[in-house]
């Protein structure tokens, strides 16, 4: 640590600014799609709907905002992210800028003999001999199939960002403890949170004897969900915890940890419930077994639905400014949408914490149920 | 449900799982383990310090209580000694008084005895004297009778007047 | 979204609303009776509300 605290912060700021500027420079130039989509700004109700649904989904490039330049070309500001797909002919990597902001499947990217198109943020590989994607009535591509998409999408990028933030913040806190018993600066904010997770979530739900083994997982999950939720409220447009795959992963981790730390008693309570007659035992076994699956399923759906719903409602309220412009006038509509979305964002701040808390809390509860020793039987 | 499944991206799931594992590992290694152990250490330290303070307090209390005890003991001793001294004084005075009284009685008794003895001696002496006188009177009388019978009566009267001093 | 879907969603929301109302009301009553147990009651309330919420969301998304 040669640099002082402020010096380091300035350095970080400079690095991020540099990355940001270079990204802007690299993306601004080639990205004027020649009106292939045909529309510029989002104005009508159906367009807003589509825009919101598009935002909820994961994306292959980091899009900040768009505008029409003097010649009427649509300009997109943002930066591309790497696309990594596992196609029928092996791994293919390229930058997402190759798609030229096309999301309708019209722009075909040729990469080493593989033709790839992007349609509704999904990457399809065209079948042999096909040169353009064709759709059936339900808008499913007929002559293309999906590929395993391991791209650094916006959500993965966001996850990396959150991870780096967490590693820096908590790593610094850990380093501080080596020198002094009481942290200073930002560590003072983080320490009560750590104590909160440990003393209010892990310890009472798992029990004094076992909670230590699981604090690492619980804390990582808690801070990851919370930071991701908060990041989703910024105008950067992340929707990490609103991705089903992400919440599925989190719930899967809880499920695996719960099952693998289950004691003999836990399994006995599932397959041969003590204290009930034999026919009941036989009926209860499949119900209990299903119960082990519904618990993480509800964890997954809850987080996904809450965050998605929050994003949809906030964006809908923001779009009031566009929809009500004709009836309330530009200023009135903007004011109304600003006031409503301001208060909803406050609620979303609470929800961001609450969902992280509930996910961690219920995970701890399920783990606690699995490691509990029933000595009263 | 169909849309839900359609939105689910297996690629994102794989990426997320791999990254999540890595992040949990890194966070446990570089953040949670040192932080938790530091917190535990600190809590242990605080607990020990509190216990030590409690112990010191108890010790202080026991010391002050033993001081109090010693003080009380000393006061009791002093009181007992004073009481004893007072008693001794009273006893000594009483004894002395009794002694003096007995001595006085004894002196008086011996004085009385001496007086009695003197008196008896004096009486005996007087008796002897009287006897002597009587004899001598009788002698003289006998002699006178032989010489002057007339003078007899006056002589005896004179003698008797002499004897009447007793 | 078709009409049956919407009706189903409405039913789910009504059910969840009644459930949440009951949970919240009972929790308030409990807190009023035993203010010293506020923390425990709140935790239990949040957990049960979360379970109910998970159920409701699950049903909503299954019907979507």
């Amino acid at each position: 640590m040669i640099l002082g605290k402020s010096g380091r912060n300035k350095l970080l700021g400079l690095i991020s600014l540099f990355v940001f500027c270079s990204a802007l420079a690299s993306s601004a130039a080639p990205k004027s799609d020649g009106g292939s989509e045909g529309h510029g700004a989002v104005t009508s109700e159906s367009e807003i709907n589509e825009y919101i649904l598009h935002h909820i989904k994961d994306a292959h490039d980091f899009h900040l905002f768009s505008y029409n330049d003097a010649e009427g070309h649509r300009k997109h500001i943002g930066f591309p992210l790497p696309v990594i797909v596992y196609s029928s002919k092996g791994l293919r990597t390229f930058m997402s800028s190759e798609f030229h902001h096309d999301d309708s499947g019209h722009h075909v990217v040729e990469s080493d003999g593989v033709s790839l198109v992007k349609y509704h943020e999904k990457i399809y590989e065209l079948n042999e001999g096909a040169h353009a994607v064709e759709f059936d009535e339900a808008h499913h591509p007929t002559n293309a199939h999906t590929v395993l998409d391991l791209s650094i999408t916006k959500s993965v990028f966001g996850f990396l960002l959150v991870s780096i933030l967490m590693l820096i913040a908590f790593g610094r806190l850990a380093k501080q403890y080596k020198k002094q018993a009481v942290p200073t600066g930002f560590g003072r904010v983080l320490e009560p949170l750590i104590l909160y997770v440990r003393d209010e979530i892990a310890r009472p739900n798992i029990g004094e004897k076992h909670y230590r083994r699981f604090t690492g997982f619980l804390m990582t999950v808690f801070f990851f969900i919370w930071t991701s939720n908060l990041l989703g409220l910024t105008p950067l447009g992340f929707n990490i915890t609103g991705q089903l795959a992400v919440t599925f992963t989190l719930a899967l981790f809880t499920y695996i940890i719960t099952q693998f730390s289950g004691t003999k008693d836990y399994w006995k309570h599932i397959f041969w419930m003590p204290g009930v007659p034999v026919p009941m035992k036989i009926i209860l076994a499949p119900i209990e077994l299903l119960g082990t699956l519904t618990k993480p399923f509800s964890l997954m759906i809850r987080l996904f639905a809450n965050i998605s719903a929050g994003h949809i409602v906030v964006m809908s309220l923001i779009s009031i400014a566009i929809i009500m412009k004709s009836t309330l006038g530009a200023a009135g509509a903007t004011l109304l949408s600003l006031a409503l979305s301001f208060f909803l964002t406050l609620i979303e701040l609470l929800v961001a914490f609450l969902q992280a808390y509930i996910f961690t809390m219920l995970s701890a509860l399920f783990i606690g149920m699995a490691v509990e020793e029933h000595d009263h039987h | 449900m169909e849309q839900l499944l359609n939105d689910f991206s297996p690629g994102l799931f794989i990426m997320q799982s791999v990254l999540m594992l890595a992040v949990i590992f890194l966070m446990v290694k570089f953040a949670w383990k040192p932080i938790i152990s530091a917190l535990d250490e600190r809590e242990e330290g605080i607990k020990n310090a509190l216990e030590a303070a409690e112990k010191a307090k108890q010790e202080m209390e026991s010391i002050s209580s033993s001081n109090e005890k010693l003080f009380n003991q000393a006061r009791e001793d002093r009181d007992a000694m004073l009481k004893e001294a007072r008693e001794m004084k009273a006893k000594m005075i009483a004894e002395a008084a009794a002694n003096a009284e007995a001595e006085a009685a004894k002196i008086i008794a011996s004085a009385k005895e001496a007086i009695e003895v003197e008196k008896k001696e004096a009486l005996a002496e007087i008796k002897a004297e009287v006897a002597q006188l009587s004899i001598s009177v009788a002698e003289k009388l006998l002699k006178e009778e032989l010489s002057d019978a007339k003078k007899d009566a006056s002589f005896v009267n004179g003698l008797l007047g002499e004897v009447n001093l007793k | 979204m078709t009409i049956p879907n919407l009706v189903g969603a409405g039913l789910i929301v009504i059910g969840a609303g009644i459930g949440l109302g009951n949970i919240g009301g009972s929790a308030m009553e409990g807190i009023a009776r035993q203010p010293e147990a506020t923390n425990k009651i709140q935790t239990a309330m949040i957990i049960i509300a979360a379970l109910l919420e998970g159920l409701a969301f699950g049903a909503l998304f299954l019907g979507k």
Side-chain angles (χ1 to χ4, degrees):
Chain A
M1 295 294 106
I2 307 150
L3 290 162
K5 203 197 231 167
S6 61
R8 212 180 322 146
N9 286 348
K10 267 182 205 150
L11 187 69
L12 280 176
L14 274 177
I15 290 170
S16 62
L17 195 69
F18 173 74
V19 170
F20 188 68
C21 289
S22 59
L24 281 188
S26 70
S27 62
K31 280 194 199 146
S32 51
D33 75 281
S36 69
E37 292 256 340
H39 61 261
V42 181
T43 46
S44 74
E45 244 173 86
S46 61
E47 276 173 345
I48 288 168
N49 254 342
E50 201 181 305
Y51 190 86
I52 290 174
L53 286 178
H54 183 258
H55 160 81
I56 292 301
K57 278 183 187 165
D58 205 0
H60 282 85
D61 47 10
F62 199 107
H63 176 238
L64 288 168
F65 59 91
S66 309
Y67 67 97
N68 288 329
D69 67 3
E71 289 117 54
H73 288 305
R74 193 80 183 143
K75 292 273 191 187
H76 298 287
I77 303 297
F79 51 89
L81 294 165
V83 175
I84 306 161
V85 291
Y86 197 79
S87 68
S88 57
K89 284 178 188 159
L91 213 59
R92 293 289 182 276
T93 55
F94 51 93
M95 291 306 275
S96 69
S97 49
E98 306 245 340
F99 284 116
H100 292 275
H101 286 276
D102 169 56
D103 195 31
S104 54
H106 293 302
H107 193 98
V108 181
V109 174
E110 297 284 345
S111 172
D112 267 339
V114 185
S115 306
L116 296 161
V117 292
K118 187 157 75 84
Y119 174 63
H120 286 187
E121 291 302 344
K122 270 191 161 187
I123 293 177
Y124 294 90
E125 182 187 348
L126 292 182
N127 292 344
E128 284 293 329
H131 295 291
V133 68
E134 285 157 22
F135 301 102
D136 58 14
E137 301 91 55
H139 298 287
H140 292 305
T142 49
N143 59 348
H145 57 270
T146 51
V147 288
L148 188 60
D149 184 3
L150 299 173
S151 315
I152 306 295
T153 58
K154 203 170 170 179
S155 292
V156 176
F157 180 73
F159 180 82
L160 290 172
L161 192 67
V162 169
S163 311
I164 289 166
L165 283 176
M166 275 165 66
L167 273 173
I168 290 174
F170 291 104
R172 276 179 63 184
L173 181 63
K175 225 177 252 168
Q176 276 191 356
Y177 277 120
K178 275 183 196 156
K179 283 179 277 174
Q180 69 229 42
V182 178
T184 50
F186 192 50
R188 248 183 231 178
V189 183
L190 297 176
E191 194 199 274
L193 293 170
I194 293 170
L195 288 174
Y196 180 77
V197 175
R198 192 191 68 172
D199 294 341
E200 303 293 325
I201 297 178
R203 207 191 293 223
N205 288 312
I206 301 178
E208 196 64 45
K209 222 165 121 192
H210 302 284
Y211 82 96
R212 265 164 207 287
R213 272 190 288 155
F214 305 105
T215 40
F217 168 71
L218 291 175
M219 283 185 188
T220 313
V221 165
F222 177 82
F223 287 106
F224 164 63
I225 295 177
W226 194 19
T227 322
S228 304
N229 290 350
L230 289 178
L231 204 61
L233 293 177
T234 61
L236 293 176
F238 282 111
N239 189 19
I240 308 165
T241 37
Q243 299 304 320
L244 198 58
V246 174
T247 62
F248 178 72
T249 314
L250 292 170
L252 188 72
F253 271 69
T254 300
Y255 178 73
I256 290 171
I257 287 175
T258 309
Q259 304 314 313
F260 275 88
S261 53
T263 57
K264 217 174 76 189
D265 276 333
Y266 171 72
W267 292 110
K268 202 179 162 193
H269 271 74
I270 288 174
F271 288 116
W272 208 242
M273 177 72 86
V276 294
V278 174
M280 272 305 274
K281 285 183 202 247
I282 293 165
I283 297 169
L284 275 178
I287 295 175
E288 286 282 325
L289 202 61
L290 196 68
T292 60
L293 286 171
T294 55
K295 281 170 193 166
F297 182 76
S298 79
L299 275 185
M300 165 183 91
I301 290 290
R302 179 179 310 110
L303 183 56
F304 161 70
N306 264 295
I307 302 308
S308 295
H311 279 244
I312 291 171
V313 176
V314 168
M315 290 190 76
S316 306
L317 288 179
I318 290 171
S319 57
I320 281 181
I322 303 165
I323 296 169
M324 306 281 272
K325 203 155 90 179
S326 51
T327 47
L328 291 175
T334 311
L335 209 67
L336 181 68
S337 102
L338 195 68
L340 288 176
S341 50
F342 171 70
F343 287 114
L344 197 84
T345 308
L346 287 185
I347 295 174
E348 284 301 310
L349 275 176
L350 176 72
V351 169
F353 175 80
L354 203 65
Q355 289 307 317
Y357 169 72
I358 285 175
F359 194 100
T360 322
M361 177 85 159
L362 290 176
S363 293
L365 203 70
F366 298 152
I367 294 170
M369 281 174 181
V371 297
E372 187 185 19
E373 275 137 25
H374 301 267
D375 40 27
H376 50 270
H377 288 301
Chain B
M1 195 67 194
E2 193 199 337
Q3 200 190 336
L4 215 62
L5 287 177
N6 195 38
D7 281 347
F8 183 82
S9 156
L12 181 59
F13 162 63
I14 292 170
M15 286 300 278
Q16 182 72 22
S17 303
V18 172
L19 290 174
M20 191 76 195
L21 264 179
V23 166
I24 288 176
F25 174 76
L26 286 175
M27 287 302 279
V28 166
K29 189 157 191 294
F30 292 112
W32 306 135
K33 243 190 199 147
I35 288 174
I36 293 278
S37 65
L39 286 174
D40 279 347
E41 224 168 80
R42 199 177 68 186
E43 269 159 26
E44 194 69 20
I46 289 171
K47 213 173 114 198
N48 287 344
L50 279 178
E51 267 170 16
E54 186 68 22
K55 226 176 172 180
K57 203 176 132 198
Q58 271 174 5
E59 233 160 69
M60 277 295 288
E61 258 167 26
S62 77
I63 285 174
S64 73
S65 80
S66 77
N67 273 350
E68 184 98 344
K69 226 187 256 169
L70 277 174
F71 182 68
N72 282 342
Q73 184 77 31
R75 204 158 51 184
E76 265 167 33
D77 282 359
R78 190 198 65 184
D79 284 354
M81 275 158 88
L82 275 174
K83 205 174 153 198
E84 212 173 307
R86 223 173 277 139
E87 271 170 10
M88 202 175 271
K89 184 185 86 179
K91 211 167 127 194
M92 272 164 87
I93 287 169
E95 243 168 46
N99 273 353
E101 220 164 281
E103 202 70 18
K106 225 159 104 191
I107 288 167
I108 288 167
S110 71
K112 270 184 184 164
E113 217 171 300
I115 288 166
E116 202 67 29
V117 168
E118 292 280 310
K119 199 174 138 188
K120 272 179 186 162
E121 267 174 19
L123 276 175
E125 223 166 280
I126 287 167
K127 271 175 192 167
E129 196 88 8
V130 169
Q132 195 69 41
L133 264 174
S134 311
I135 291 165
S136 62
V137 165
E139 211 177 32
K140 274 172 188 167
L141 216 85
L142 286 168
K143 272 175 192 170
E144 226 42 50
E145 207 161 292
L146 295 169
S147 57
D148 194 345
K150 271 186 336 193
K151 282 184 187 176
D152 228 10
S154 63
F155 186 65
V156 169
N157 277 348
L159 277 179
L160 280 174
E162 257 174 68
V163 171
N164 207 12
L165 69 240
K166 260 234 170 152
Chain C
M1 267 201 161
T2 57
I3 299 291
N5 277 4
L6 288 171
V7 172
L11 285 176
I12 293 164
V13 171
I14 289 171
I18 292 171
L20 280 173
N22 272 341
I23 296 165
S26 310
M28 288 298 145
E29 213 169 281
I31 290 170
R33 264 187 211 171
Q34 279 177 293
E36 67 275 6
T38 306
N39 277 341
K40 275 187 179 176
I41 293 173
Q42 258 171 1
T43 312
M45 178 186 84
I46 287 173
I47 289 173
I48 298 169
L51 289 173
L52 174 67
E53 192 192 43
L55 199 72
F57 272 130
L60 277 177
F61 275 87
L62 283 178
K64 197 177 154 189

